[in-house]
Amino acid sequence: MQVHAPIIEHRRIADDIFLLTLSVPDIAGSAEPGQFIHIKCGSSFDPLLRRPFSLSMIDKEAGNISVIYEVRGRGTKILSTCPVGQTLDIMGPLGSSFSISHISPQSGAVLVGGGIGAPPMASLAQALIGKGLKRVTVLLGAASKEKLLPEEIFTRTGAEVLIATDDGSAGYQGFVTELLPSQVSGGEVGTPVVFACGPEGMLKAVGSFCLSNGIPCQLSLESVMACGVGACQGCVCRVLRRGSVEYVRVCTEGPVFDAGEVIWDD
Ligand SMILES: Cc1cc2nc3c(=O)[nH]c(=O)nc-3n(C[C@H](O)[C@H](O)[C@H](O)COP(=O)(O)OP(=O)(O)OC[C@H]3O[C@@H](n4cnc5c(N)ncnc54)[C@H](O)[C@@H]3O)c2cc1C
């Protein structure tokens, strides 16, 4: 669905990182964690292509959705100047969502979010806790404390948050993936389900750890994409399904995939 959505909140929350909330009841009503919206960042044809952003918050009651984005290039730079009250041309909700309907409330869940890949972990934590899961832990990683998303975005969902930074300026010093083994060792809730979104190296490490330990794991992939709706075929990746290699589109069959089906390019 394509709509013009008014901006109701837009503020800087970390170094070059912004929180953008839109009033868009039609999209909020049907959106699920893991899905994304495609935003036209300028009012003209520059930039021409929309930019994809995962949903970090879905408030079905209020009819609002939020994204958290980092200013990287021309599109996000223009987006960061849009004031509250302006309307944005957006398409959504797009793509596949995290699959959570089969997860028992007795299970635990570990959500690994790296850098600017972490935002969808907030809406996912909210949904899992809403399902009654006893223990939802977010492992939140960033290069440094300046790049770290505010912990409160995740703790307010009821999730426990553990922080890791590469330079040790906040939380554990090291990669966020190093926190994973101690969080999946069972305990009162048994083996948890793992979800991850972040840089490719992090996703490979999380996927490989979970596969070798028999832990169910879903990964949200990022790919450069143009149309966002499956027409241009610009974002294909390879997956292994029923024993054979298939080409799928990250924008429509993804961005969420089972760790066991993702084939990484070396
Ligand atoms: C499913 C999905 C979810 C995402 N969620 C988030 C999020 O929650 N927060 C966030 O900060 N970023 C997210 N990204 C990445 C975000 O879309 C890019 O940072 C953004 O498109 C960069 O635009 P730009 O104009 O500022 O950068 P530029 O580098 O100037 O863009 C140049 C060109 O590259 C394309 N491009 C560059 N990087 C990407 C990319 N990763 N994906 C698609 N097109 C790209 C742009 O469309 C443009 O044509 C997500 C990407 C995907 C695929």
Side-chain angles (χ1 to χ4, degrees), residues 96-159:
S96 61
S97 56
F98 291 107
S99 170
I100 62 169
S101 55
H102 63 287
I103 299 174
S104 141
Q106 312 312 319
S107 307
V110 180
L111 284 50
V112 190
I116 200 59
M121 295 303 147
S123 55
L124 178 60
Q126 185 185 25
L128 290 167
I129 285 164
K131 252 178 83 71
L133 260 72
K134 289 192 168 15
R135 191 166 168 214
V136 176
T137 306
V138 176
L139 307 182
L140 182 62
S144 66
K145 89 168 178 231
E146 289 73 32
K147 291 282 179 194
L148 195 64
L149 300 186
E151 194 178 345
E152 196 261 328
I153 286 169
F154 304 91
T155 51
R156 74 174 167 219
T157 67

Side-chain angles (χ1 to χ4, degrees), residues 53-65:
F53 301 98
S54 299
L55 298 170
S56 63
M57 188 276 292
I58 303 164
D59 185 340
K60 291 184 187 293
E61 222 162 90
N64 301 334
I65 54 171

Side-chain angles (χ1 to χ4, degrees), residues 76-265:
T76 46
K77 177 116 188 105
I78 293 172
L79 185 61
S80 71
T81 64
C82 296
V84 168
Q86 182 177 328
T87 56
L88 288 175
D89 178 346
I90 65 169
M91 287 169 62
L94 300 175
S96 61
S97 56
F98 291 107
S99 170
I100 62 169
S101 55
H102 63 287
I103 299 174
S104 141
Q106 312 312 319
S107 307
V110 180
L111 284 50
V112 190
I116 200 59
M121 295 303 147
S123 55
L124 178 60
Q126 185 185 25
L128 290 167
I129 285 164
K131 252 178 83 71
L133 260 72
K134 289 192 168 15
R135 191 166 168 214
V136 176
T137 306
V138 176
L139 307 182
L140 182 62
S144 66
K145 89 168 178 231
E146 289 73 32
K147 291 282 179 194
L148 195 64
L149 300 186
E151 194 178 345
E152 196 261 328
I153 286 169
F154 304 91
T155 51
R156 74 174 167 219
T157 67
E160 181 191 4
V161 178
L162 301 177
I163 288 170
T165 51
D166 300 354
D167 66 359
S169 51
Y172 171 81
Q173 176 170 13
F175 292 141
V176 67
T177 46
E178 292 163 26
L179 299 176
L180 186 56
S182 63
Q183 297 304 310
V184 293
S185 52
E188 80 258 34
V189 290
T191 301
V193 183
V194 172
F195 303 87
C197 186
E200 188 171 303
M202 186 202 93
L203 295 181
K204 282 182 184 170
V206 171
S208 140
F209 172 81
C210 290
L211 288 174
S212 19
N213 288 282
I215 299 165
C217 175
Q218 297 173 37
L219 304 175
S220 178
L221 306 190
E222 201 180 286
S223 160
V224 175
M225 57 180 65
C227 77
V229 292
C232 74
Q233 314 274 329
C235 60
V236 287
C237 70
R238 290 178 305 146
V239 293
L240 189 63
R241 285 184 179 162
R242 294 170 292 276
S244 55
V245 176
E246 291 181 16
Y247 286 85
V248 294
R249 295 157 296 186
V250 172
C251 69
T252 39
E253 283 84 17
V256 179
F257 295 96
D258 271 332
E261 62 181 359
V262 177
I263 302 174
W264 299 106
D265 291 323

Side-chain angles (χ1 to χ4, degrees), residues 2-56:
Q2 181 179 357
V3 290
H4 287 84
I7 300 175
I8 57 170
E9 179 185 27
H10 198 186
R11 59 190 167 89
R12 184 190 294 270
I13 56 169
D15 190 25
D16 273 339
I17 297 176
F18 290 78
L19 169 74
L20 170 72
T21 304
L22 301 164
S23 169
V24 57
D26 288 345
I27 290 182
S30 61
E32 299 297 338
Q35 292 189 293
F36 65 94
I37 55 171
H38 222 192
I39 302 183
K40 191 167 185 327
C41 293
S43 49
S44 67
F45 289 109
D46 175 26
L48 181 64
L49 297 175
R50 291 169 184 273
R51 304 295 196 253
F53 301 98
S54 299
L55 298 170
S56 63

